[in-house]
Amino acid sequence: MPQIVSRVTSRLPVTVDAAVRRLAVLSLIGQTILVVTGGAVRLTASGLGCPTWPRCTEASLVNTPEMGIHGFIEFGNRLLTFALAAVAALMLVYLWNLRKERKDLFLLALGLLASIPAQAVIGGITVLTRLNPWVVGLHFLVSMALVVFATLLVNRAYGRTGRFMTHALPALPGVARPLMTAVAVFSALAVMLGVVVTGAGPHAGDAEAPRNNLDWDLFSHIHAVPAYLITAGTLFACYVVLQRRIPGPFRSAVLMLLGVTLLQAVIGFTQYYNGIPALLVGAHMLGAALLMSAATNAWDIARSSPAH
């Protein structure tokens, strides 16, 4: 057995190569897709398409034809979790020879792998509590955290940030780091308040699912406050970038963040004034994942850049 292990590890990379980078990107894409498929489960009223857990029914591990489209959607979302676990496990295997030298990558990959079973358990509790809105919200927030970790993993794998950067970043004004930190914090706050709004809204995942009984309209306006602050902070960051003619990754990160922020704002206002259609709610969930990734990326680059 030791000889077999030694033979396998001898074939694994000893530097961060293209395969490691591809797996990092695949992990980020997969976590984002998981947000979308999770939204599809709720928005198509498929939250109890598999009415029990960990089996899909008492007698079947997988969905059955009698369960129709709802069972297919719910079980498909469960399967994606296993696919992401496989990607995270493969990432750890590829990083095995680098586990000490590149502890940053190894720990991020390990965190992603460890959180996936936890996410599956939360999903099971969601089903067993008949879609309790607070448990559903926790399920979504964990997905957002995984998007953040996957974004950091991509940046580290490509040497964009952290101790092992492959290129020096241009110096940034002193205001850049606290500004991007504030935008990242407001992004997280907006997502958390969005969970509260969702728990009060009409898309419960099932006709019989409970709601949190809060005032949906009131919390929609409260949810908008950090969104306004995100927009203001991002616009100011754009002003600083353009006024100081800052080149490189930070400029790209801020402009990307601005695009995602404005897109989220348009989707949010449109769904609010058009009766919260399911398709726009799904787009808003995708936008939330993109926002967390873009805000994390801008913050990560800012904190890795020297100040002047």
Side-chain angles (χ1 to χ4, degrees), residues 15 52 56 60 67 110 114 119 140 163 166 183 226 239 241 257:
T15 60
T52 189
C56 195
S60 175
M67 300 168 71
L110 182 62
Q119 182 75 317
F140 178 74
R163 291 175 50 211
T166 55
V183 169
Y239 167 77
V241 164
L257 178 59

Side-chain angles (χ1 to χ4, degrees), residues 15-257:
T15 60
V16 178
D17 61 6
V20 171
R21 296 188 184 101
R22 283 194 292 267
L23 285 169
V25 172
L26 187 60
S27 181
L28 177 57
I29 293 172
Q31 296 296 344
T32 305
I33 292 174
L34 185 64
V35 172
V36 176
T37 59
V41 170
R42 181 167 58 84
L43 296 169
T44 58
S46 302
L48 296 176
C50 287
T52 189
W53 186 89
R55 291 175 173 269
C56 195
T57 70
E58 294 294 342
S60 175
L61 183 64
V62 302
N63 61 302
T64 61
E66 293 77 15
M67 300 168 71
I69 188 64
H70 296 305
F72 178 82
I73 293 173
E74 163 65 5
F75 187 71
N77 187 59
R78 294 187 184 189
L79 280 181
L80 182 56
T81 302
F82 290 103
L84 289 174
V87 171
L90 190 58
M91 183 80 171
L92 284 177
V93 170
Y94 268 83
L95 289 170
W96 183 252
N97 289 333
L98 295 164
R99 64 190 183 280
K100 295 180 180 178
E101 179 188 350
R102 291 304 307 267
K103 191 178 292 185
D104 57 335
L105 291 178
F106 192 80
L107 290 179
L108 281 169
L110 182 62
L112 284 170
L113 179 60
S115 61
I116 289 171
Q119 182 75 317
V121 170
I122 296 171
I125 296 172
T126 300
V127 172
L128 297 176
T129 58
R130 316 309 288 177
L131 307 184
N132 180 288
W134 299 108
V135 182
V136 172
L138 177 62
H139 199 39
F140 178 74
L141 291 178
V142 173
S143 288
M144 290 294 101
L146 295 181
V147 168
V148 169
F149 292 149
T151 301
L152 294 175
L153 183 63
V154 170
N155 278 354
R156 301 298 190 273
Y158 278 86
R160 288 161 47 86
T161 60
R163 291 175 50 211
F164 299 91
M165 289 188 297
T166 55
H167 300 286
L169 293 170
L172 300 178
V175 72
R177 188 176 298 179
L179 180 60
M180 289 299 97
T181 299
V183 169
V185 170
F186 289 137
S187 298
L189 182 58
V191 168
M192 286 188 284
L193 288 171
V195 164
V196 178
V197 175
T198 297
H203 301 292
D206 187 81
E208 303 300 323
R211 301 283 72 204
N212 61 25
N213 297 320
L214 298 175
D215 187 326
W216 177 85
D217 192 63
L218 172 63
F219 276 90
S220 292
H221 285 88
I222 295 174
H223 165 60
V225 173
Y228 295 143
L229 294 172
I230 295 166
T231 305
T234 304
L235 287 172
F236 182 63
C238 287
Y239 167 77
V240 171
V241 164
L242 297 176
Q243 196 267 336
R244 301 286 184 92
R245 297 182 180 179
I246 298 172
F250 185 68
R251 178 191 182 99
S252 300
V254 168
L255 293 177
M256 182 184 302
L257 178 59

